[in-house]
Amino acid sequence: MKKSVYSLCGMCAVRCPLRAEVEGDEVTWLEGNPHILGGALCAKGSAGIARYRDDERPHGPLIREGERGEGRWRQVSWDEAITYVTDKLKAIQKKYGKESVMVTSRGGPFQNQYKTFCHAIGSPNYTNHDCTCGRNTHHASKSLYGLGRKGLAYDYKNARHLVLFGRNILTSLKVAEASAVVEMLRRGGKITAVDVRVTPTSGKANRFFLVRPGTDYALALGMVNEMLKQKAYDQKFIKKYVKDFSKLQSFVKPYTAAWAAKECGVDAATIKAFVTDIKQDMPRVIFHPGWNLARYKDSFYVSRMLHIMNILMGNIEVEGGQFFPKSPADCGKKGLRNVDCPKPDIERADGCGSTYPHLDKGPGLEHLLLPPMKTGKPYPIKALISNRHDLMASLPDKEQLLDYLNHCELLVSMDALWGEFTWYCDVVLPESTFLERSNQLVTQKGLKPRFAIRQQAVSPRYDTKPSWEIYKMLADKMGVGEYFPYETIEDYWNWQLEPTGYSIEDFQEKGFVELTDEPVWYDRDKLDGKFKTPSGKIEIISKMLEDAGIESLKPYEPPQAPEKGTFRLVYGRPAWLAHNQSTNNPILSQLTPGNRNNIWINREVAESLGIRNGDWVEVKSAGEYGGPLQAFVTEYIHPEAVYTDHGFGKEVPVQSRAYNKGVSDAKLMTGLLDVWDRAGGAVALCESFVTLSPCEPPADA
Ligand code: SF4
């Protein structure tokens, strides 16, 4: 008999609500939760069935037998694997101190269990992948509003104008967000897209600005200058909530539209016409402040300026603008209980919150926790536990990364899939795929906040477990089991729900509990106390930055020009690939021709190099890494840049569909593990250059 199981997708970090149709012990259909998404799910989400049926994933706990990366494993019982890991952790902590353990993850709503474990065993060094993603945006938001990057959300559906600097919102997508943007377009809303290449999002845009790579800050400064000139800003809002507006006025004076045009290549008249246009549309104009903005050396300041343009629009708590995501308390409800443990009273090894007082000590910065493995400064990191996070595929420069990891005495991976880090580590604790596991309940904030559930749809096909159970086992053996006060998932859910007055039965009909019938808006005239800066105002000159000796408004510096014969490498992904997790999926691997990335080359550049569309080209970094990719010759990319999709070039032999297919963008980023932004904290992934030369196709092409 068929049954519906409501759950959350796990094919990317967004976790869209879904409905699985189950017959016997098989999932026969997947769709977006019809009560929230009207059935819509993206291609990756729909391939979730293929993920759980795929046998090219770890089948049970494994302990390494050969050298790291050699692929010789001993399959062991869960008890043996957990005992092995906890004995090693205890020995390392005895020798190097409790703080010598680092726990990392891909972030997301379940990270409090990883963090709780890390803190409970005495280490402050919990981190996540955000240094290669949203840290610049996060810190930019904090410096202005005193709120992290999720402190404000966007009412796309009702916007009149959406401005996207490099945010490929219809491809690098969240289903609800993409649907809202499509609805905005249907209602006559406009998109202005800024990018170094034409994307599916810019294809839908009313205006597209093809900019010289690395000059987004110049364009943003030119726009702000023109906005001030045309008085395209909400004077009442600024007077009431913004501090140091006059400093912004004097700072942007030299950065005219004509000046910006020379830097970024968008002509001055077009910049002026854009500003005239948004003036008509304000306050229902949204400047997206960036999602993955770990791109250029000045991306933090780009994000800051994008936030500032939102502020000029006065678009906070207005329909079609930004809003504070509402919590259960805003609906007069109590929140879910979550596992937690106070952070140990030891400074983080990455210096976040101490050496770098302006950088959030929450998850800190992953790339700064690597050097202490080798240098022992400020103290050694000697054990690393990673949750669903392939460091080798997401951090730049694998060679340099290995140089750090090789000084670690224990590497543990908790993941449902193989990845290069998992293949390299000492112990694999395999997680069940999202259709095979339940997770803790989560709160999804918004205009109509809700509690949501991920429920197991089918039995695990292999000897795998959900992370809540793995952490419970680890915690019990480390003597800190009291921080995980449950035995079963039902215990866990009931414990979480206790303060709320709801029960687990309330989730069965729709897969969520909505905490309000009507959207909750704050009164825009009474936002005092909502901005968490030292002054309580939106700070153009940020006390947090200035106290750390960092400029709030940084003068523009042009990007490094590529040397002759080299091209700036930029990356992205198509709608059917999620970061590093999809190229070996039995279905998704068939959607890219040959399951290899290609390389976009500007038509004039290609002609000058004698490269034709479809030719094979050796793409090489400044280091030793490189390989053959097929050329996609197009006028729709800036001549200084070449572009490739992220997540290819996998070196895990048991992933037969992805093994050695294509070239890894991350490995081409030689030397970038040390190139990071002192102001925003993120690494700068688009600051590498590659060479191109015609070559023979690979033998299996
Ligand atoms: S965006 Fe797609 S892959 Fe990601 S959670 Fe939503 S449906 Fe799943």
Side-chain angles (χ1 to χ4, degrees):
M1 204 178 79
K2 279 187 195 174
K3 64 171 180 178
S4 281
V5 178
Y6 288 103
S7 193
L8 298 177
C9 180
M11 292 295 281
C12 82
V14 175
R15 295 174 187 86
C16 297
L18 61 74
R19 185 183 77 89
E21 225 162 75
V22 180
E23 284 185 74
D25 204 16
E26 281 290 328
V27 176
T28 53
W29 177 249
L30 275 186
E31 63 177 7
N33 186 321
H35 306 289
I36 300 172
L37 296 177
L41 208 58
C42 81
K44 295 163 287 178
S46 306
I49 299 180
R51 174 177 288 186
Y52 100 86
R53 289 183 185 160
D54 187 10
D55 66 352
E56 292 190 356
R57 58 183 169 108
H59 289 195
L62 299 168
I63 296 178
R64 180 172 61 82
E65 291 239 289
E67 294 299 308
R68 280 182 176 162
E70 202 184 325
R72 286 202 291 126
W73 303 97
R74 182 160 56 92
Q75 186 143 353
V76 297
S77 67
W78 274 97
D79 188 53
E80 186 176 347
I82 297 290
T83 305
Y84 183 92
V85 170
T86 50
D87 284 354
K88 283 267 186 192
L89 286 176
K90 286 176 196 166
I92 288 169
Q93 288 193 310
K94 191 162 176 218
K95 189 167 169 194
Y96 299 104
K98 287 192 182 293
E99 63 279 11
S100 60
V101 178
M102 157 185 176
V103 177
T104 187
S105 82
R106 280 211 49 91
F110 310 121
Q111 63 181 318
N112 61 326
Q113 67 195 8
Y114 322 140
K115 198 190 314 180
T116 298
F117 176 76
C118 186
H119 292 174
I121 63 169
S123 174
N125 294 311
Y126 170 71
T127 189
N128 64 28
H129 82 297
D130 215 32
C131 67
T132 54
C133 188
R135 272 297 94 174
N136 280 334
T137 308
H138 173 81
H139 286 123
S141 175
K142 256 198 114 177
S143 72
L144 284 152
Y145 302 116
L147 303 165
R149 72 168 167 144
K150 293 182 183 159
L152 285 164
Y154 312 96
D155 180 22
Y156 298 108
K157 202 159 55 179
N158 294 305
R160 289 203 190 110
H161 206 132
L162 174 60
V163 187
L164 302 165
F165 272 59
R167 172 78 179 97
N168 189 2
I169 208 162
L170 297 178
T171 298
S172 184
L173 54 79
K174 306 174 173 189
V175 171
E177 186 180 75
S179 306
V181 171
V182 169
E183 177 59 17
M184 176 201 84
L185 289 171
R186 201 186 62 75
R187 294 180 182 187
K190 289 167 274 183
I191 292 181
T192 292
V194 178
D195 213 318
V196 300
R197 66 173 187 123
V198 174
T199 64
T201 304
S202 37
K204 292 267 180 210
N206 305 70
R207 268 199 193 86
F208 172 58
F209 296 155
L210 182 78
V211 287
R212 183 178 163 225
T215 62
D216 297 32
Y217 189 41
L219 178 61
L221 289 171
M223 284 177 172
V224 173
N225 175 297
E226 190 61 30
M227 285 158 83
L228 299 187
K229 217 173 259 171
Q230 293 193 31
K231 298 220 173 327
Y233 56 90
D234 183 333
Q235 298 183 41
K236 195 170 149 216
F237 181 87
I238 286 164
K239 193 155 180 243
K240 189 163 167 63
Y241 296 121
V242 179
K243 191 166 165 286
D244 295 322
F245 178 63
S246 59
K247 298 211 168 127
L248 177 71
Q249 288 173 308
S250 25
F251 173 73
V252 297
K253 243 183 204 140
Y255 300 119
T256 61
W259 167 86
K262 281 193 207 129
E263 275 301 313
C264 69
V266 180
D267 70 74
T270 308
I271 297 172
K272 289 178 184 185
F274 160 78
V275 171
T276 306
D277 199 8
I278 57 164
K279 190 175 176 187
Q280 308 297 319
D281 293 334
M282 62 184 278
R284 284 161 60 178
V285 179
I286 299 170
F287 285 82
H288 194 290
W291 188 8
N292 175 335
L293 216 54
R295 302 258 168 183
Y296 302 99
K297 283 181 187 157
D298 62 2
S299 287
F300 168 77
Y301 289 99
V302 175
S303 183
R304 229 174 166 260
M305 217 34 81
L306 291 166
H307 281 297
I308 285 175
M309 287 193 265
N310 278 321
I311 294 160
L312 295 179
M313 294 291 98
N315 69 3
I316 297 177
E317 286 295 316
V318 287
E319 280 205 348
Q322 303 191 90
F323 61 86
F324 292 89
K326 309 304 181 304
S327 66
D330 292 302
C331 308
K333 303 279 168 65
K334 290 260 187 326
L336 294 169
R337 199 186 263 159
N338 274 314
V339 294
D340 195 13
C341 173
K343 190 180 285 185
D345 192 18
I346 308 165
E347 298 295 3
R348 295 181 59 93
D350 54 17
C352 292
S354 53
T355 313
Y356 310 111
H358 61 296
L359 299 176
D360 221 345
K361 32 181 164 173
L365 292 172
E366 184 178 60
H367 63 289
L368 297 186
L369 287 172
L370 303 171
M373 293 172 182
K374 186 174 174 181
T375 63
K377 289 178 184 159
Y379 52 78
I381 297 286
K382 291 293 174 186
L384 163 58
I385 301 175
S386 175
N387 302 269
R388 297 182 303 98
H389 175 29
D390 187 350
L391 286 84
M392 266 80 148
S394 69
L395 287 166
D397 199 336
K398 182 173 171 183
E399 240 173 76
Q400 195 180 352
L401 174 62
L402 289 182
D403 187 37
Y404 293 135
L405 294 182
N406 287 341
H407 290 82
C408 258
E409 296 179 14
L410 179 67
L411 301 176
V412 179
S413 176
M414 211 178 289
D415 203 335
L417 305 176
W418 283 113
E420 288 186 36
F421 176 76
T422 306
W423 190 248
Y424 195 75
C425 68
D426 306 317
V427 185
V428 182
L429 302 175
E431 208 182 0
S432 306
T433 64
F434 72 94
L435 290 168
E436 300 167 314
R437 68 175 193 258
S438 299
N439 278 102
Q440 67 186 76
L441 301 170
V442 295
T443 304
Q444 295 180 330
K445 291 184 178 181
L447 287 171
K448 293 170 77 173
R450 55 181 174 247
F451 299 142
I453 190 168
R454 174 180 280 154
Q455 300 181 89
Q456 181 181 348
V458 286
S459 314
R461 288 170 84 90
Y462 302 111
D463 187 14
T464 58
K465 288 186 184 293
S467 58
W468 61 265
E469 193 178 341
I470 302 172
Y471 271 103
K472 170 72 178 163
M473 292 191 296
L474 287 170
D476 282 346
K477 284 247 169 160
M478 290 298 287
V480 293
E482 72 270 23
Y483 291 101
F484 296 84
Y486 53 78
E487 295 298 329
T488 64
I489 191 67
E490 288 77 18
D491 286 350
Y492 196 172
W493 287 337
N494 290 333
W495 176 80
Q496 286 190 278
L497 285 169
E498 220 169 72
T500 69
Y502 292 105
S503 76
I504 206 65
E505 284 71 41
D506 296 319
F507 290 78
Q508 294 314 315
E509 196 191 333
K510 294 179 177 175
F512 61 94
V513 169
E514 204 152 50
L515 303 178
T516 170
D517 294 332
E518 295 300 324
V520 181
W521 291 95
Y522 294 149
D523 182 342
R524 187 164 168 267
D525 292 329
K526 294 179 184 159
L527 295 180
D528 293 317
K530 301 290 184 207
F531 305 113
K532 305 298 180 190
T533 52
S535 64
K537 299 272 184 200
I538 298 170
E539 292 186 355
I540 298 288
I541 301 301
S542 158
K543 181 163 175 8
M544 175 186 97
L545 291 177
E546 303 286 321
D547 284 355
I550 289 177
E551 294 161 300
S552 299
L553 298 168
K554 183 175 148 323
Y556 176 77
E557 286 172 37
Q560 184 186 339
E563 283 174 22
K564 193 168 171 8
T566 71
F567 302 90
R568 189 181 285 270
L569 179 69
V570 299
Y571 64 94
R573 58 183 161 109
W576 59 89
L577 295 181
H579 301 294
N580 302 305
Q581 313 165 22
S582 323
T583 47
N584 201 55
N585 182 284
I587 291 177
L588 300 174
S589 60
Q590 297 179 44
L591 299 182
T592 308
N595 201 24
R596 297 172 196 277
N597 46 340
N598 60 11
I599 186 102
W600 290 39
I601 308 171
N602 175 273
R603 190 175 296 285
E604 282 179 25
V605 169
E607 277 169 14
S608 72
L609 295 172
I611 296 168
R612 288 163 307 171
N613 193 39
D615 282 356
W616 287 88
V617 176
E618 172 87 5
V619 183
K620 212 151 173 320
S621 70
E624 283 307 299
Y625 184 76
L629 291 178
Q630 224 165 353
F632 174 59
V633 173
T634 172
E635 51 270 47
Y636 295 128
I637 185 166
H638 193 280
E640 283 187 14
V642 290
Y643 164 87
T644 197
D645 288 332
H646 177 63
F648 287 89
K650 289 277 169 69
E651 295 178 76
V652 181
V654 291
Q655 291 188 306
S656 68
R657 305 166 205 110
Y659 181 54
N660 274 343
K661 294 281 173 74
V663 172
S664 160
D665 57 323
K667 290 174 202 158
L668 284 168
M669 296 169 185
T670 309
L672 291 194
L673 203 49
D674 288 333
V675 179
W676 64 284
D677 183 340
R678 293 325 188 250
V683 288
L685 298 174
C686 291
E687 296 286 3
S688 76
F689 296 88
V690 294
T691 55
L692 309 172
S693 52
C695 70
E696 293 299 314
D700 60 342

